[in-house]
Amino acid sequence: IFGTTNLEATPVINDSGFNRGIIQLLVFLALGALAASVYGHNVSKEDIAALRVLSGVQVIHYMWLGAKHMVTGYDHLLFLLGVIYYIKQFNDVFVLVSLFALGHSVTLILGVTLSWAVSPYLVDAIIGFSVLYKGFDNLGALDTFFNERPDERLVVTVFGLFHGLGLATKLQTLVVRDDGLIANLLAFNLGVELGQVVALFCALLILTLLPVFRNHRQTAIAVNAVLVMLGCMLMFYQLRLYYLAA
C-alpha cells in the first residue's frame, strides 16, 4: 500500500507573483497568531468536572466529548486541511483520511488501555511539526530542496499515529475509570471520527465552492505559508512548555 503514489502536491513557490503572495501572507499573520494562541488539545474544566461524577459505560457522553475535541482541535484540523488542500478526487481523500483515522485510532486505544507514559508536550510538538511539514510540502519545497517527497499515504499514517497519541495523553487526564473503560474509549474514538467527518465536509465544501484557494497561486502560497507559520508556533510553544516542566 505504501508504494508509488500519484498524490502529489502542486509546487507553487516559483510563481512570478510571489510578492503578491507575501502581501496576502501578512494579512493572514494576525489571524494566524490568534489561532495559534488557542491550545487545541486542552480539556475544559467543565468536561473534567462532569466526568468525575460519572461511572460505568457512558457512551453518549464520551462520544460527544470525542466529537467536540476533534472539532475544536485546531492542530488536527490544520493538518487535515493541509492533507486535502490539493486533493480533488473523493477516492484519494477517502484513502488518506481513512489512513489518518486508522493511525490515530491505534495509538489512542493502545495509549489509554496500556497507560503509556509519554510527554504530552513532546507529542504535541510533533503534531505541530506535522502541520509545518504539510504546509512546507504543499508549497513544493520538498521537491525543490530534496528533489523527492515521501509517499503521502505513509506520511499521513505516521502522523496519524502521533495525533492519536496526543489524544491519548489528554484522555488520560480525564477520569477514565476501569469500569466501562473499553466501551467509553471506543465511544470517544467514534466521536472523534464523527467530528473529523464534519470538519472535513466543511473544509471540502469551502475548497470546492471557493476554488480560489486551490487555483489562485498567490492565495495558495499565503494559505500554506500560514500553515508553516502556525506549525512552527505550535511546535515551539510545546517545546517551551516541555522545557519549563523539566
Side-chain angles (χ1 to χ4, degrees):
I1 187 172
F2 296 129
T4 305
T5 177
N6 60 357
L7 302 179
E8 299 290 337
T10 302
V12 296
I13 61 173
N14 58 351
D15 188 87
S16 60
F18 182 76
N19 290 333
R20 293 177 59 190
I22 291 296
I23 295 175
Q24 291 186 356
L25 172 59
L26 294 176
V27 176
F28 279 93
L29 287 179
L31 297 176
L34 176 62
S37 66
V38 182
Y39 182 34
H41 273 309
N42 272 347
V43 179
S44 69
K45 294 180 179 179
E46 293 77 10
D47 289 329
I48 295 176
L51 290 175
R52 282 177 178 167
V53 300
L54 297 174
S55 61
V57 177
Q58 300 288 338
V59 172
I60 300 300
H61 197 94
Y62 275 90
M63 188 183 300
W64 165 251
L65 183 64
K68 175 183 175 183
H69 196 73
M70 174 56 77
V71 172
T72 59
Y74 296 96
D75 43 9
H76 299 304
L77 300 182
L78 288 171
F79 176 72
L80 287 173
L81 173 63
V83 168
I84 68 172
Y85 194 85
Y86 285 115
I87 307 300
K88 297 182 181 181
Q89 298 298 320
F90 175 78
N91 288 342
D92 292 337
V93 173
F94 178 78
V95 168
L96 292 177
V97 172
S98 297
L99 289 173
F100 180 74
L102 175 63
H104 74 63
S105 296
V106 168
T107 46
L108 168 60
I109 294 173
L110 291 180
V112 175
T113 56
L114 300 180
S115 300
W116 285 349
V118 296
S119 169
Y121 304 127
L122 291 182
V123 174
D124 287 340
I126 295 174
I127 292 175
F129 173 77
S130 72
V131 177
L132 181 161
Y133 171 90
K134 206 65 207 74
F136 194 72
D137 183 27
N138 286 348
L139 289 171
L142 292 180
D143 291 319
T144 299
F145 296 113
F146 304 106
N147 295 320
E148 62 180 351
R149 55 194 298 269
D151 189 297
E152 186 77 347
R153 291 166 292 188
L154 176 60
V155 169
V156 169
T157 302
V158 171
F159 280 133
L161 293 172
F162 284 103
H163 279 253
L165 193 55
L167 288 169
T169 62
K170 295 306 174 290
L171 190 56
Q172 289 180 68
T173 66
L174 301 176
V175 184
V176 185
R177 298 180 174 87
D178 290 337
D179 55 324
L181 172 62
I182 298 301
N184 290 334
L185 184 55
L186 292 176
F188 181 85
N189 190 63
L190 178 59
V192 168
E193 303 305 335
L194 293 176
Q196 180 174 282
V197 169
V198 172
L200 280 173
F201 175 80
C202 294
L204 286 171
L205 189 63
I206 292 173
L207 291 175
T208 301
L209 296 180
L210 298 176
V212 63
F213 287 108
R214 283 173 168 161
N215 300 331
H216 191 267
R217 285 185 175 270
Q218 285 75 31
T219 302
I221 290 171
V223 170
N224 286 286
V226 167
L227 285 182
V228 173
M229 180 197 67
L230 292 179
C232 285
M233 295 177 69
L234 290 169
M235 181 176 66
F236 286 112
Y237 173 68
Q238 295 302 324
L239 290 175
R240 178 176 178 273
L241 292 180
Y242 175 76
Y243 173 77
L244 293 176

